[in-house]
Amino acid sequence: MQDNLVLSMSMMVEGRDNSTGGHIKKNSDVVKILLDEIVKDTSDDALKLSQRFNKNLIKAAPMHDLGKITVDDSILRKPGSYTDEEVEIMKKHTTEDARIVHEILEETDDLEFRIIAENVAHYHHECWDGSGYPDGLKGEDFPLEARIMAIADVIDATIRFLTK
């Protein structure tokens, strides 16, 4: 039931944003593809991810933009580029993502899933070099699950841009 609730909430948020066009489903698919490729890598320096981690990350992926529900429609649905002020308002969605995900999952017994979901929600716009937001995390301080989500998010945005 909790999974269905989260997916439904995510779809409501996506429905408010004209530019996303299936963003939730596409991001979840890209996360799964990335994880499948990571698992296939058998080299000595490959990431060794557990099936549980992968399952939790795929389940958490649709939650990454729930905070956009708090962004006013005049900004969220605005065609064209944002002003500097609007960019700063949009950036706050990650902090709201984390707050909402925390509230939804605070009663869950699955602590590992809750941590992964909160990290994905909060940090999916951080960057390895520290230039991202909301906290400017750098390197391995940027949680792995959020790094994978960030890659999926960029791939989806790039595909949307190229297919316009």
Side-chain angles (χ1 to χ4, degrees), residues 48-83:
K48 306 299 183 208
L49 304 178
S50 71
Q51 286 183 341
R52 182 178 169 141
F53 175 88
N54 294 351
K55 181 183 170 198
N56 283 335
L57 181 50
I58 292 165
K59 194 165 103 174
M63 306 167 106
H64 80 281
D65 273 341
L66 286 177
K68 285 186 176 179
I69 198 80
T70 66
V71 177
D72 190 89
D73 277 346
S74 65
I75 296 170
L76 189 64
R77 300 174 65 101
K78 178 182 176 182
S81 299
Y82 295 128
T83 66

Side-chain angles (χ1 to χ4, degrees), residues 68-163:
K68 285 186 176 179
I69 198 80
T70 66
V71 177
D72 190 89
D73 277 346
S74 65
I75 296 170
L76 189 64
R77 300 174 65 101
K78 178 182 176 182
S81 299
Y82 295 128
T83 66
D84 290 345
E85 182 181 335
E86 290 166 337
V87 167
E88 292 307 310
I89 291 169
M90 282 298 292
K91 284 181 177 182
K92 292 178 183 175
H93 86 271
T94 58
T95 304
E96 289 300 308
D97 289 338
R99 181 186 63 77
I100 291 167
V101 169
H102 179 80
E103 288 178 13
I104 290 170
L105 299 177
E106 72 182 332
E107 297 297 321
T108 187
D109 293 334
D110 191 343
L111 181 61
E112 182 180 344
F113 172 65
R114 188 173 75 209
I115 290 168
I116 288 170
E118 287 183 27
N119 282 344
V120 163
H122 201 189
Y123 301 120
H124 68 279
H125 284 294
E126 295 289 356
C127 296
W128 184 258
D129 66 0
S131 65
Y133 63 89
D135 296 336
L137 298 181
K138 189 174 191 173
E140 292 187 10
D141 290 338
F142 178 14
L144 177 61
E145 55 270 24
R147 285 183 253 159
I148 294 168
M149 185 72 240
I151 292 167
D153 212 20
V154 168
I155 290 170
D156 180 54
T158 302
I159 290 169
R160 279 195 324 254
F161 174 78
L162 293 173
T163 57

